[in-house]
């Protein structure tokens, strides 16, 4: 389904909510503000976008964290849950006035549950080229055992 959002009878924004390139809420807010000629000092909120891959032995989770130092990332892993928090920092240059400011500033976090428990002791995290990669080995599933009654 694709459509146009109209302002004063003229199509202004293409709307495709089910496409791979669907816009975020922040994109719509920015588009409406621009359509009405409003200037917004509101900073765009950052998002932690993730890919979760699974193989027979582990989950591989990748987060986009461009411009974030590894010291500014916190990862918590517990049984079936994963939580990542990243702090985006912008360095202000004294004397310069911002003409356009869309890069996020502040902390953002993302948490989700996995379908199988992971071994937190064997989990690893790697930060390279703006991508945080977590390798979360699955715990061995306990095999059901029938007990002999004495």
């Amino acid at each position: 389904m694709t459509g146009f959002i109209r302002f004063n009878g003229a199509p202004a924004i293409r709307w495709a909510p089910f496409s791979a390139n669907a816009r975020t809420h922040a994109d719509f807010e920015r588009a409406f503000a621009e359509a009405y000629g409003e200037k917004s000092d509101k900073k765009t909120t950052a998002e932690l976008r993730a890919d979760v891959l699974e193989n027979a032995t582990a989950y591989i989770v990748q987060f986009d964290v461009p411009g974030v130092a590894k010291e500014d990332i916190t990862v918590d892993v517990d049984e079936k849950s994963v939580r990542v928090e990243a702090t985006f920092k912008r360095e202000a240059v004294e004397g310069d006035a911002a003409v356009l400011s869309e890069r996020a500033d502040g902390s953002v976090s993302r948490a989700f549950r996995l379908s199988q428990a992971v071994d937190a002791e064997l989990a690893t995290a790697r930060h390279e080229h703006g991508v945080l990669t977590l390798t979360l080995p699955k715990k061995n599933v306990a095999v059901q055992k029938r007990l002999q009654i004495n």
Side-chain angles (χ1 to χ4, degrees):
M1 181 174 159
T2 301
F4 288 98
I5 296 176
R6 296 182 174 271
F7 292 104
N8 297 329
I13 303 170
R14 185 179 178 91
W15 181 55
F18 302 113
S19 73
N21 299 324
R23 294 181 175 196
T24 64
H25 179 70
D27 293 333
F28 280 111
E29 283 185 357
R30 194 176 316 111
F32 283 117
E34 289 172 4
Y36 287 107
E38 296 175 8
K39 226 179 184 182
S40 176
D41 292 335
K42 183 178 171 184
K43 294 177 184 167
T44 308
T45 57
E47 297 177 352
L48 278 180
R49 296 178 184 200
D51 289 335
V52 180
L53 307 169
E54 179 181 12
N55 60 37
T57 60
Y59 291 101
I60 311 303
V61 186
Q62 295 180 315
F63 291 93
D64 287 340
V65 287
V68 179
K70 67 180 180 179
E71 296 81 20
D72 296 330
I73 302 172
T74 304
V75 179
D76 296 315
V77 178
D78 178 35
E79 287 291 314
K80 291 185 175 184
S81 65
V82 177
R83 183 176 187 278
V84 174
E85 182 175 348
T87 303
F88 291 84
K89 297 178 182 177
R90 290 192 307 163
E91 294 180 21
V93 178
E94 194 172 323
D96 290 346
V99 175
L100 175 67
S101 180
E102 293 182 340
R103 293 178 24 218
D105 187 15
S107 294
V108 63
S109 66
R110 179 86 186 265
F112 51 88
R113 294 189 57 79
L114 301 168
S115 59
Q116 186 175 338
V118 297
D119 191 344
E121 296 298 320
L122 298 176
T124 61
R126 188 176 80 241
H127 182 262
E128 191 173 50
H129 303 296
V131 177
L132 174 67
T133 302
L134 307 178
T135 303
L136 309 171
K138 295 178 182 178
K139 276 191 176 177
N140 292 334
V141 179
V143 179
Q144 183 178 3
K145 177 183 175 185
R146 182 167 288 186
L147 299 176
Q148 184 70 27
I149 302 173
N150 295 328

